[in-house]
Amino acid sequence: MEQSKFAAPPDSIEKAREIFEKYLQQKALRLTPQRRFILDYFLQAEWHLSAEELYQRIRKLDPNIGYSTVYRTLKLLGDCHLARELPLGDERLHFEPMYKVQHHDHLICKRCGKIMEFYRQQIEDLQQEICAEYNFVPTHHNHEIYGYCSSCKGVEN
Amino acid sequence: MEQSKFAAPPDSIEKAREIFEKYLQQKALRLTPQRRFILDYFLQAEWHLSAEELYQRIRKLDPNIGYSTVYRTLKLLGDCHLARELPLGDERLHFEPMYKVQHHDHLICKRCGKIMEFYRQQIEDLQQEICAEYNFVPTHHNHEIYGYCSSCKGVEN
DNA sequence: TTCGGTGCAAATCGTTTGCAATGAG
DNA sequence: CTCATTGCAAACGATTTGCACCGAA
């Protein structure tokens, strides 16, 4: 029974590292200092980041880590469910660390760009119900609601 | 009260044309043969299309319509809610004609690419409820569930 | 007659990839 | 030792834009 989406995220950095290391071993991949560094930095991020943002921040701490390594590592983290890819409406992909966070989806203001998080167990349950009907095994979902936040909804244009 | 998302889609090509023409007039934009042609072709599409697909099909019927005109017109159609932008997991954006179709969201198989449509009034209602809580005025949403369809769920890899 | 629209080619921009050097196991 | 990984720069692919001509209003 696949349940990656529904498994609780790791609640300690150590546990997350363990998941990553197991994943690498299983695929006969190597644990490099760069990968370890990116994992640690990413998991401690307070919020979702674009690859670019992550790269810029990491580069300040260690200028020897390249752009492509960040991209490649982010993909690995996605594969082992330590990162979640989020299409948040702009042209780039954002990544949300799956660490100590409860699953949630997003409300996005089209005017000021403000992003809020929401969660409804009922919606999660209904999705399960739908999947069962279609005989579909879900791994993850995207759910974003676009519109205008309280500060922007009256504003002209 | 904004309700673009919840307004019924036009149920005749004529009504859709009217919406488009009103929109253009209101913005002091011009109704060109290209725009008319793209509108008509797009609305009759049986399903969501990428800009590329739309361009290729239209080009067969009228080789004088350019790539950029398709993109620009699709954006206009999005603005007046005759097209809905869909991020379906691949690198490109798809556009779904909002014509005679009931609103729905998508189940996407990560292995074979099959796309199925689902709809649950309860989920729509819950979204409204969430927006009310956040004092947020929704215009539209994306909701895609990724996983494996019935034919793919047992398959190795 | 006036500007907005068009097609084309070039530019953008996020992301991916080829490659020679590096280093984890 | 081997072969996965790295950083860099070049490549890619979807989308956008500058521009000179065109044509809707």
Side-chain angles (χ1 to χ4, degrees):
Chain A
M1 186 191 306
E2 165 138 38
Q3 51 155 242
S4 36
K5 182 185 102 194
F6 310 98
D11 59 1
S12 75
I13 290 274
E14 287 66 40
K15 216 169 283 180
R17 279 205 198 101
E18 205 178 295
I19 291 171
F20 191 46
E21 288 172 22
K22 281 229 178 74
Y23 178 80
L24 292 177
Q25 276 174 10
Q26 171 209 321
K27 296 260 180 177
L29 303 177
R30 290 167 188 177
L31 180 59
T32 62
Q34 289 94 327
R35 285 179 178 168
R36 195 194 307 267
F37 189 86
I38 294 170
L39 171 76
D40 281 10
Y41 186 87
F42 177 67
L43 285 186
Q44 294 183 67
E46 64 304 328
W47 231 34
H48 46 78
L49 298 168
S50 64
E52 167 75 21
E53 286 165 343
L54 182 58
Y55 169 70
Q56 294 299 346
R57 297 194 194 183
I58 282 182
R59 160 155 285 238
K60 278 185 195 140
L61 304 175
D62 183 346
N64 292 320
I65 291 186
Y67 218 107
S68 17
T69 302
V70 171
Y71 270 100
R72 291 188 272 227
T73 304
L74 239 13
K75 180 161 290 180
L76 290 176
L77 293 178
D79 291 344
C80 59
H81 307 288
L82 291 169
R84 177 186 179 207
E85 295 188 354
L86 292 177
L88 294 183
D90 60 354
E91 61 294 342
R92 34 167 158 247
L93 207 49
H94 287 70
F95 296 84
E96 183 157 74
M98 301 292 278
Y99 163 61
K100 269 192 175 174
V101 292
Q102 181 189 239
H103 168 75
H104 59 258
D105 292 300
H106 299 88
L107 292 168
I108 302 167
C109 178
K110 293 195 289 181
R111 188 170 163 278
C112 71
K114 182 176 173 186
I115 297 179
M116 291 166 286
E117 305 177 345
F118 72 86
Y119 176 76
R120 265 294 193 294
Q121 186 56 47
Q122 284 171 278
I123 293 184
E124 305 295 319
D125 294 342
L126 286 162
Q127 292 184 85
Q128 289 290 57
E129 209 178 287
I130 289 160
C131 290
E133 262 171 40
Y134 284 83
N135 203 4
F136 188 89
V137 181
T139 56
H140 62 285
H141 65 256
N142 294 142
H143 192 178
E144 293 88 35
I145 304 178
Y146 293 87
Y148 298 98
C149 73
S150 52
S151 337
C152 293
K153 66 184 185 181
V155 180
E156 199 50 41
N157 202 313
Chain B
M1 188 191 306
E2 163 137 40
Q3 52 156 244
S4 37
K5 183 184 101 194
F6 309 98
D11 58 359
S12 75
I13 290 276
E14 287 66 39
K15 216 169 284 182
R17 279 204 198 104
E18 204 178 297
I19 292 172
F20 192 45
E21 289 173 22
K22 281 230 178 74
Y23 178 79
L24 292 177
Q25 276 174 9
Q26 172 209 322
K27 296 258 181 181
L29 303 176
R30 291 171 186 172
L31 180 60
T32 62
Q34 288 94 327
R35 286 179 177 169
R36 195 192 308 267
F37 189 86
I38 293 170
L39 171 75
D40 281 9
Y41 185 86
F42 177 66
L43 285 186
Q44 293 184 68
E46 65 303 329
W47 232 34
H48 47 77
L49 298 167
S50 63
E52 166 75 23
E53 286 165 343
L54 182 58
Y55 169 68
Q56 293 300 347
R57 297 195 195 181
I58 281 182
R59 158 154 288 238
K60 276 184 197 141
L61 303 176
D62 183 346
N64 293 320
I65 291 186
Y67 218 107
S68 17
T69 301
V70 172
Y71 270 100
R72 290 187 273 227
T73 304
L74 238 16
K75 180 160 292 182
L76 290 176
L77 293 177
D79 290 344
C80 58
H81 307 287
L82 291 169
R84 176 187 180 206
E85 296 189 353
L86 291 178
L88 294 182
D90 61 353
E91 61 294 340
R92 34 167 156 244
L93 207 48
H94 286 70
F95 296 84
E96 183 157 73
M98 300 291 279
Y99 164 62
K100 267 192 177 175
V101 292
Q102 181 189 240
H103 168 74
H104 59 257
D105 292 299
H106 299 88
L107 292 168
I108 303 166
C109 178
K110 292 195 290 182
R111 188 171 164 277
C112 70
K114 182 175 173 189
I115 297 179
M116 292 167 286
E117 305 178 345
F118 72 85
Y119 176 76
R120 266 293 192 298
Q121 186 56 47
Q122 285 172 278
I123 293 183
E124 306 294 321
D125 294 343
L126 286 163
Q127 291 183 87
Q128 289 290 56
E129 210 177 286
I130 290 161
C131 290
E133 261 170 44
Y134 285 82
N135 203 5
F136 188 90
V137 181
T139 56
H140 63 286
H141 65 256
N142 294 143
H143 193 178
E144 294 88 33
I145 304 178
Y146 292 88
Y148 298 98
C149 74
S150 52
S151 337
C152 293
K153 66 184 185 180
V155 181
E156 198 51 40
N157 200 314

